[in-house]
């Protein structure tokens, strides 16, 4: 069994309801930072970001489309032009990412990493 699915299924309803109220993008203007789960589509303005992409994306393909694939295209963070720095996760296999305007911090803790 998948431990993440089991954990999600065991969440009390009020916890689940609380989580559904949280924003998908958090702006911290005093530090010029944006926080999101997986990333931002570098081809779209912030106000037009797609929910699926915010939660799943990893790479940008040569045709400009984004994908959650581990390979192919470029890491989306290498294409982000700022000016805000984006802090994100969702890509533990790539490890720590430090780009001009994006920092990926996923350590794989949900897989037992640290």
């Amino acid at each position: 069994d998948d431990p993440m699915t089991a954990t999600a299924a065991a969440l009390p309803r009020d916890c689940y309801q609380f989580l559904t109220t949280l924003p998908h993008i958090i702006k911290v203007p005093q530090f010029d930072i944006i926080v999101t789960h997986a990333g931002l589509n570098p081809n779209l303005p912030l106000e037009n970001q797609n929910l699926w992409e915010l939660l799943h994306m990893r790479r940008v393909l040569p045709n400009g489309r984004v994908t959650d694939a581990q390979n192919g295209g470029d890491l989306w963070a290498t294409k982000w032009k700022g000016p805000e720095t984006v802090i994100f996760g969702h890509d533990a296999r790539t490890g720590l990412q430090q780009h001009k305007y994006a920092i990926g911090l996923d350590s794989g803790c949900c897989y037992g990493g640290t």
Side-chain angles (χ1 to χ4, degrees), residues 68-80:
D68 61 348
Q70 295 288 335
N71 301 307
D74 297 307
L75 294 170
W76 75 267
T78 65
K79 303 291 186 186
W80 182 253

Side-chain angles (χ1 to χ4, degrees), residues 6-106:
T7 300
L11 275 178
R13 184 158 179 77
D14 59 333
C15 289
Y16 175 81
Q17 289 174 333
F18 169 73
L19 291 172
T20 64
T21 68
L22 297 175
H24 295 100
I25 297 173
I26 300 171
K27 294 174 79 173
V28 188
Q30 63 267 39
F31 298 110
D32 218 16
I33 290 174
I34 298 171
V35 181
T36 192
H37 176 72
L40 298 175
N41 185 328
N43 301 315
L44 296 175
L46 191 59
E47 62 275 5
N48 292 344
Q49 295 292 315
N50 173 285
L51 180 57
W52 185 91
E53 294 174 353
L54 292 171
L55 298 176
H56 299 279
M57 68 179 294
R58 289 188 178 99
R59 297 179 168 273
V60 178
L61 299 173
N63 65 7
R65 295 185 65 189
V66 299
T67 179
D68 61 348
Q70 295 288 335
N71 301 307
D74 297 307
L75 294 170
W76 75 267
T78 65
K79 303 291 186 186
W80 182 253
K81 303 281 190 250
E84 301 95 339
T85 297
V86 181
I87 309 297
F88 67 99
H90 188 68
D91 198 0
R93 290 184 182 150
T94 302
L96 177 66
Q97 296 184 51
Q98 297 179 350
H99 306 283
K100 186 170 184 178
Y101 293 108
I103 302 170
L105 299 176
D106 196 328

